Amino acid sequence: MQKIIVCLKRVVDYNVRIRVKPDGSGVATDGLKMSINPFDEIALEEALRIRDRGLATEVVIVSIGPDDAQQQLRTGLAMGADRAILVQSTGELEPLAAARVLLKLVVREEPGLVLLGKQAIDDDCNQTGQMLATLWDRPQATFASKLELNGTVATVTREVDAGLEVLEVDLPAVVTSDLRLNEPRYVKLPDIMKAKKKPIEIVAIDSLGVDTSPVHRVTKYDTPPARIKGAMVKTVDELVGALRDRGVLA
Amino acid sequence: MSRVLVIAEHDGEHLNQSTARCVACAVAIEPGGTDIVILSRNPGAIAAQAAALAGVTGVLTVTNPANGPALAVVLAPQIASLARDYDVVLAPSTTYGKDLLPRVAALLGVPQLSDIMTVTGPRTFQRPIYAGNALVTIEVPDGVKVVATVRGASFKPVGGGNAAPIRAVELPATLPAHTRFVELRTGKTDRPDLQTARVVVSGGRGVGSADNFALLYKFADRLGAAVGASRAAVDAGFVPNDMQVGQTGKIIAPELYMAFGISGAIQHLTGIKDAGTIVAVNKDGEAPIFEIADIGLVGDLFQVIPEIEKLLR
Ligand SMILES: Cc1cc2nc3c(=O)[nH]c(=O)nc-3n(C[C@H](O)[C@H](O)[C@H](O)COP(=O)(O)OP(=O)(O)OC[C@H]3O[C@@H](n4cnc5c(N)ncnc54)[C@H](O)[C@@H]3O)c2cc1C
Ligand SMILES: Nc1ncnc2c1ncn2[C@@H]1O[C@H](COP(=O)(O)O)[C@@H](O)[C@H]1O
């Protein structure tokens, strides 16, 4: 296979605890640490391993986002991606719009495999990969914990509620990563230096001819009701007593 | 009045309880009617179970050998063609619904809502973002079909006793040659299902090994409980992936959740927010899980569990 495309979304780092703005108009993200969506980092790691086994020649990373998303693309290049594409967009896209934008690039680049994260940890939608596969009219294998390539066929083990499901799909295909697909590498300093020379192509979102205006209307943001800290007990007797008092233990 | 189509989840024989939770969400929309569609190679028994659910006005069955293994790529076009007669299409926010529904939405050319928690109006819904650290209210404009997955833990399954009419529909299903089902590997147990159990006993990295999990299984069996785990316990290979509770595992709402050797990372807590009573046993008194536990005990799980067992009647 020639090319693998990996989709990287810039999101608030998973270790950061976000807050809803007091007026309910949004989530305060200014000044917070931003990272590659953890699932996408796993997707990229998988693509790099496939390329390094000689099964693909090029790994292209794509992000739709603000100019600052170049930071995450630089990190992806430092991890080992060959080149990057940034589709400039200031607003948040609905997953269907993101999938339509990604489709434009997929049609242009003709990859043998497109890897995405199973979900972005900001919107938690878990939709984009499935939508892209549908629009592209190619197979999908979501929530992958194992990916094996054999010529033009991928065998994918998927984490499903009942256990593990194995699918066989013909390439080109869309695969979305689950957490246990691999453990991403750490970026080393020399790689960061090398990555500075790798190209990032900037694409204006308007040039793609996709209507990306949101269809759904967000009316407000709320802070979820917090669970109230309960009582600490000192002994197992007290613990069992407290459970019986609550009527949850016979 | 809107008409709702609920996509049934089943394993070929039994209707998954997530379907009854979807119906509860459908009913909250106060629709003109709620139909359930069952796509299967042999829908008979499942249709009867669906027809019994309170609030259901009709059950549609689509019989096709191609609908045996639930492949999103096969099911989605059938659902999309049925969806033309409905204003709202709902599926459970399980791995089945999450895999399938975005395809339906893409075929219909409408955005999808994920994980409805609350119906706040006929066309407005609340859903979690940022691992449940914020809730967003979304309004679907008039004329746009509502296509949404339903967060099961937020809705109590509707009861039974109904006898809705069952109707077979014929739909052309094209079997795409490009996607082939190979196998489903399930660790079948006699324990209650994690997503529907009244009591869940859960272990984390603190349990230490797969062998040590035997202690939790034994304890769970005494309580008639399901067993869950943190991601760290799954990653370490102590237990299989289908036991993971949390943002990227299962979201559950048991009456009683007992966490042993789990620190309480935000991604884990997202999965248990709606539990009735949360018990935490951890040897570190500073563990964040104590911030949300109803009953906390600082202690060594290997001592605490046998002691609790001794006190059980
Ligand atoms: C994108 C993303 C998604 C994630 N999704 C999930 C998810 O769905 N579910 C999930 O669980 N995690 C998830 N995580 C991981 C999460 O951040 C934590 O790393 C994980 O939950 C930690 O598991 P743990 O509490 O078992 O382990 P640790 O944090 O290592 O905690 C182990 C605890 O055991 C205690 N302990 C040790 N020995 C004993 C003993 N003998 N007796 C009593 N207590 C003991 C320790 O004091 C410690 O508090 C996700 C992470 C990311 C980045
Ligand atoms: N703006 C974006 N830029 C690049 N990739 C994206 C973007 N939005 C979504 N994706 C990809 O789609 C996956 C699922 O996102 P979501 O459907 O929003 O949960 C992510 O893990 C990314 O791989």
Side-chain angles (χ1 to χ4, degrees):
Chain A
M1 148 174 46
Q2 280 241 298
K3 219 180 275 178
I4 303 177
I5 287 189
V6 183
C7 303
L8 301 187
K9 188 175 185 189
R10 168 185 165 92
V11 298
V12 175
D13 188 86
Y14 82 97
N15 271 315
V16 175
R17 183 132 200 191
I18 57 90
R19 273 183 322 101
V20 174
K21 290 180 189 165
D23 65 359
S25 66
V27 169
T29 55
D30 284 355
L32 299 184
K33 183 182 177 203
M34 304 297 284
S35 299
I36 300 176
N37 181 42
F39 291 97
D40 305 354
E41 205 179 344
I42 293 169
L44 174 54
E45 176 66 35
E46 196 66 18
L48 297 173
R49 290 184 191 184
I50 292 168
R51 184 199 60 194
D52 294 346
R53 285 203 301 272
L55 298 174
T57 45
E58 191 185 26
V59 173
V60 183
I61 51 179
V62 176
S63 191
I64 311 166
D67 275 333
D68 285 342
Q70 288 190 49
Q71 295 161 8
Q72 281 65 44
L73 289 172
R74 282 283 165 222
T75 306
L77 293 170
M79 278 177 73
D82 298 290
R83 65 185 165 92
I85 304 171
L86 172 66
V87 180
Q88 276 174 319
S89 158
T90 41
E92 213 12 66
L93 265 57
E94 285 172 345
L96 182 59
R100 285 173 171 156
V101 167
L102 294 170
L103 177 70
K104 292 282 178 188
L105 299 176
V106 163
V107 166
R108 186 186 90 177
E109 298 281 342
E110 298 183 357
L113 181 65
V114 181
L115 282 161
L116 300 89
K118 81 163 175 182
Q119 90 196 57
I121 61 161
D122 50 3
D123 66 27
D124 281 333
C125 278
N126 197 329
Q127 301 174 12
T128 309
Q130 296 87 313
M131 289 176 162
L132 174 62
T134 309
L135 300 175
W136 193 24
D137 201 12
R138 291 306 309 167
Q140 79 184 31
T142 51
F143 327 145
S145 64
K146 193 170 174 199
L147 171 56
E148 290 162 300
L149 294 175
N150 202 332
T152 57
V153 173
T155 304
V156 184
T157 305
R158 309 177 52 231
E159 293 201 356
V160 295
D161 289 340
L164 295 170
E165 185 190 75
V166 183
L167 289 184
E168 213 176 72
V169 296
D170 292 339
L171 301 178
V174 174
V175 174
T176 75
S177 63
D178 215 316
L179 293 171
R180 278 169 285 275
L181 185 58
N182 60 51
E183 232 177 280
R185 67 195 64 188
Y186 284 103
V187 174
K188 294 184 225 73
L189 195 60
D191 298 326
I192 297 175
M193 301 311 291
K194 258 197 287 180
K196 291 199 170 133
K197 291 195 215 83
K198 293 183 183 174
I200 298 183
E201 179 193 354
I202 311 280
V203 175
I205 195 160
D206 294 339
S207 72
L208 295 173
V210 177
D211 181 5
T212 56
S213 47
V215 174
H216 288 166
R217 273 186 229 119
V218 175
T219 56
K220 70 177 163 112
Y221 293 82
D222 288 290
T223 302
R227 279 190 82 103
I228 302 151
K229 185 180 161 82
M232 295 298 288
V233 295
K234 291 239 152 29
T235 66
V236 172
D237 274 319
E238 284 178 53
L239 174 69
V240 171
L243 286 172
R244 290 205 167 113
D245 287 347
R246 286 172 160 259
V248 288
L249 197 70
Chain B
M1 284 285 242
S2 59
R3 289 178 32 86
V4 182
L5 181 67
V6 170
I7 305 167
E9 175 168 0
H10 62 85
D11 63 3
E13 288 166 39
H14 302 284
L15 193 64
N16 189 296
Q17 203 200 54
S18 59
T19 309
R21 294 176 189 269
C22 270
V23 172
C25 176
V27 169
I29 298 171
E30 298 182 6
T34 300
D35 292 349
I36 298 186
V37 60
I38 296 157
L39 301 112
S40 169
R41 63 158 64 103
N42 180 15
I46 309 157
Q49 295 161 35
L53 295 177
V56 173
T57 48
V59 175
L60 311 178
T61 59
V62 185
T63 308
N64 191 322
N67 293 340
L71 290 180
V73 73
V74 176
L75 304 181
Q78 302 175 62
I79 295 163
S81 73
L82 285 172
R84 297 189 208 287
D85 298 334
Y86 295 87
D87 311 286
V88 180
V89 181
L90 301 179
S93 190
T94 54
T95 52
Y96 165 78
K98 290 175 185 173
D99 186 46
L100 172 60
L101 207 64
R103 288 195 77 94
V104 175
L107 289 171
L108 295 171
V110 293
Q112 185 203 300
L113 274 148
S114 294
D115 310 315
I116 292 180
M117 289 178 76
T118 319
V119 176
T120 55
R123 306 190 64 82
T124 51
F125 307 92
Q126 199 176 43
R127 63 168 301 256
I129 54 174
Y130 288 96
N133 282 310
L135 306 177
V136 59
T137 303
I138 289 174
E139 186 190 326
V140 182
D142 283 333
V144 177
K145 220 179 277 294
V146 176
V147 178
T149 58
V150 175
R151 183 178 181 275
S154 302
F155 295 89
K156 281 210 171 58
V158 294
N162 191 5
I166 300 171
R167 181 165 62 92
V169 282
E170 295 275 332
L171 289 175
T174 36
L175 232 187
H178 62 46
T179 304
R180 295 168 294 275
F181 173 80
V182 179
E183 61 169 335
L184 177 65
R185 296 202 289 264
T186 56
K188 275 257 176 276
T189 73
D190 296 333
R191 284 188 193 91
D193 176 52
L194 184 54
Q195 271 159 316
T196 55
R198 201 184 64 80
V199 180
V200 173
V201 169
S202 210
R205 199 197 308 270
V207 177
S209 71
D211 288 347
N212 289 349
F213 251 87
L215 181 69
L216 270 82
Y217 291 127
K218 183 166 143 272
F219 180 53
D221 290 345
R222 282 287 310 267
L223 296 174
V227 181
S230 71
R231 173 187 169 187
V234 179
D235 284 1
F238 302 169
V239 294
N241 65 282
D242 49 60
M243 285 169 58
Q244 181 174 315
V245 172
Q247 179 189 15
T248 52
K250 288 177 180 159
I251 311 271
I252 58 173
E255 265 176 52
L256 175 60
Y257 185 79
M258 304 182 82
F260 295 97
I262 293 178
S263 62
I266 182 74
Q267 294 87 3
H268 186 81
L269 301 185
T270 305
I272 57 171
K273 262 218 270 274
D274 298 314
T277 297
I278 297 178
V279 172
V281 176
N282 193 304
K283 64 181 183 191
D284 173 10
E286 303 289 309
I289 189 131
F290 289 126
E291 294 305 312
I292 59 110
D294 299 290
I295 307 168
L297 175 64
V298 178
D300 184 335
L301 71 97
F302 297 105
Q303 284 162 14
V304 171
I305 292 178
E307 279 184 48
I308 302 177
E309 279 186 340
K310 266 187 231 148
L311 295 176
L312 293 178
R313 294 179 184 133

